[in-house]
Amino acid sequence: MKQIFSLFVIACLSLTITAQNPTTTTKDIADVIKKHGLENSQVMDIASYITDVLGQRLTGSTGLKNANDWAKNKLTDMGMKNSHLQQWNSFGRGWDMTHFEMHAETPTYWPIIAYPKAWSSSSKGSGEVIYLNATTIEELNKYKGKLSGKFVMIEGIREVNEAFEPTAKRHDTESLLNLANATQPVPRERRRFGGNSTAAELRAATWKLLEDEKPLAVLDRSRKGDLGTVFVSGARTAEGSARDNGKYVVPQITMAIEHYNRIFRMLEKGIPVKLSVDSQSKYTNPDGNENNVIAEIPGTDLKDEVVMFGAHYDSWHAGTGATDNGSGSAVMMEVARILIETIKETGIKPRRTLRIALWSGEEQGLHGSRNYVAQTFANTGESSRSITSLKPAQKKISGYFNMDNGTGKLRGVYLQGNQAVSPIFREWLKPFHDMGASTLSLSNTGGTDHLAFDAAGIPGFQFIQEPISYSTKTHHSNMDNFDHLIADDLKQAATIIAYFVWQTSQRDEKLPRKETNLKYN
Ligand SMILES: [Zn+2]
């Protein structure tokens, strides 16, 4: 008994000594972070809650609102400070899908795999399918008065090829070498969409006609996907945005390719096909105000400087946004947890303030992060994209780390053309070489929220991830669900990002910045 007691005292003493030991080395910190990230991980529990329980998180929907409240409270429970929803505006109205059922009535009954596009109006009824096949305005005019009460197909057949190659992939030596050998990216002109004016005119006239005729639904099949995987995003309008208050949006439905093609082939044979739909939804949130979730671990001697890490939390609506981007969101929340546990265990406090952000509005154009940057770091013109000058806080942020490329583990970092961070990140990746992360690529990667920071001259990074089935199966599809998350990959990602955030916080200088050609610098 006595012996047990003295062992207990020794154990307590040694705990106290560790807790106050300011000389914990870099290696020790990496080990502590690895322990919490790999052995005590909660990333899959967080991911399951986000996807299975909270479900789809379309920006403006009740789903995202609930998910925001949950994350805000969860971060507080983890021990983060100042957890709050930070509002931004001008997103437009939201949309809640409340019921959907579709089937074929003739020539034979079958249930159809399909999803309404977000912001589609409700629709209920049955009617024949018609293929709108117009290559000129004259041809289009022939459909006037013929579309009301019908289902209108607007695309031809898409051939389906069997997948003899695996749809999930990991990087190999060659693909990593290509990334490592990438040269300094050259700034690109912003792409302009629209193509030639005749095609654009025809497109506008087609959607104008559809809005006038109000068919039961416009049917399409996504560019890719088969075997029940359907890629679904937002509805379109002839003018303006489907998110504009009061705007009529033609019901638009994306069908599984096999069902779309089957109907199309029957129409080609002159066999009438009759479908039935009951698609119910409602517009929400007319004030157009949305929120990012923000929380902090306060810093110490450099507490007025920040290190940010984040991911977009919003999703499309047909799946549960597991790989896009429940994975990134769960990883970043797990990063916060790992850091809090590491601080508790070592007694070492972060020097800079560590701030997590879960963004909204990413899928419709990085709105959440761009608005946050405009609120915090930069002054903008009318749009949050047009930066006119910088705020003093822009000098007080060291860097931003983002994750938004699915479930794959990290193989390295895209430097986003920032040559000067290369030796720093190379050093920081060393403890993770045996976990597959060692590649630095000068190249840019786009399409997600680090760009909002990069645009304001702030070092913003996205990691090189294993592709897995992101582009082939899950990204924006109905099959973007928890089952396609890989636990070991997400644990690895959270561990490495936690270490990067920590190191960014503790170094004497802020991360070096790119020389930018921004007008306001
Ligand atoms: Zn995404």
Side-chain angles (χ1 to χ4, degrees), residues 32-33 53 104 195 374:
V32 176
I33 286 176
V53 182

Side-chain angles (χ1 to χ4, degrees), residues 312 324-325 362-363 404 470:
H312 80 84
D324 186 21
N325 186 23
E362 191 272 352
E363 296 294 0
D404 180 23
Y470 192 59

Side-chain angles (χ1 to χ4, degrees), residues 18-269:
T18 324
Q20 291 176 343
N21 183 1
T23 59
T24 305
T25 63
T26 303
K27 179 176 178 305
D28 299 333
I29 283 287
D31 287 342
V32 176
I33 286 176
K34 279 183 185 176
K35 181 179 86 181
H36 290 292
L38 302 175
E39 292 165 33
N40 307 339
S41 176
Q42 290 183 17
V43 71
M44 293 305 273
D45 295 335
I46 299 171
S48 171
Y49 210 94
I50 292 174
T51 56
D52 295 330
V53 182
L54 296 163
Q56 69 80 26
R57 301 173 305 284
L58 185 74
T59 301
S61 71
T62 309
L64 183 62
K65 187 178 177 304
N66 294 339
N68 278 344
D69 291 340
W70 177 81
K72 183 189 76 170
N73 295 332
K74 178 80 180 170
L75 291 167
T76 302
D77 293 348
M78 281 178 182
M80 293 203 86
K81 304 287 181 239
N82 190 25
S83 182
H84 66 283
L85 303 183
Q86 188 161 327
Q87 188 178 296
W88 55 276
N89 51 33
S90 311
F91 179 71
R93 63 186 174 182
W95 183 83
D96 275 351
M97 172 173 63
T98 55
H99 178 88
F100 185 82
E101 188 277 333
M102 192 175 194
H103 61 265
E105 288 185 344
T106 65
T108 176
Y109 172 86
W110 90 86
I112 289 175
I113 300 175
Y115 295 83
K117 291 190 162 190
W119 287 279
S120 282
S121 301
S122 297
S123 179
K124 184 172 182 166
S126 61
E128 282 194 6
V129 184
I130 184 169
Y131 173 42
L132 193 162
N133 183 17
T135 53
T136 63
I137 301 278
E138 293 69 49
E139 284 174 16
L140 182 69
N141 286 337
K142 291 184 196 149
Y143 291 93
K144 266 190 188 155
K146 293 183 182 157
L147 304 179
S148 179
K150 300 276 194 333
F151 291 90
V152 183
M153 290 180 127
I154 53 165
E155 296 173 312
I157 283 225
R158 168 164 65 81
E159 238 180 82
V160 175
N161 298 309
E162 294 309 314
F164 291 101
E165 296 294 322
T167 52
K169 283 201 170 65
R170 289 188 181 273
H171 278 293
D172 55 21
T173 322
E174 193 189 338
S175 63
L176 288 173
L177 197 62
N178 287 339
L179 282 167
N181 287 337
T183 51
Q184 181 75 20
V186 276
R188 274 186 308 179
E189 287 285 302
R190 265 213 7 236
R191 272 189 293 162
R192 301 202 180 280
F193 295 99
N196 71 55
S197 61
T198 332
E201 251 171 54
L202 179 65
R203 208 161 39 233
T206 304
W207 284 95
K208 175 81 176 54
L209 176 69
L210 289 164
E211 286 175 3
D212 290 345
E213 301 259 322
K214 298 186 172 50
L216 277 169
V218 172
L219 307 178
D220 67 21
R221 37 73 176 167
S222 48
R223 280 181 301 113
K224 58 182 178 182
D226 59 7
L227 295 167
T229 302
V230 188
F231 293 81
V232 191
S233 53
R236 60 178 302 162
T237 51
E239 280 174 2
S241 158
R243 305 196 304 272
D244 294 344
N245 273 329
K247 171 79 93 186
Y248 168 72
V249 182
V250 186
Q252 291 159 57
I253 295 172
T254 304
M255 295 174 64
I257 186 63
E258 294 86 346
H259 292 175
Y260 190 93
N261 285 352
R262 178 178 175 188
I263 294 167
F264 198 93
R265 285 188 293 265
M266 287 194 277
L267 294 187
E268 282 182 323
K269 293 177 176 64

Side-chain angles (χ1 to χ4, degrees), residues 57 74 117-118 134 231 240 243 252 338 379 388-389 400 405-406 427 457 481 500 503 519:
R57 301 173 305 284
K74 178 80 180 170
K117 291 190 162 190
F231 293 81
R243 305 196 304 272
Q252 291 159 57
I338 294 169
N379 300 306
T388 52
S389 61
Y400 169 70
N405 273 166
E427 198 58 33
N481 295 311
F500 267 62
Q503 293 297 77
K519 284 196 295 289

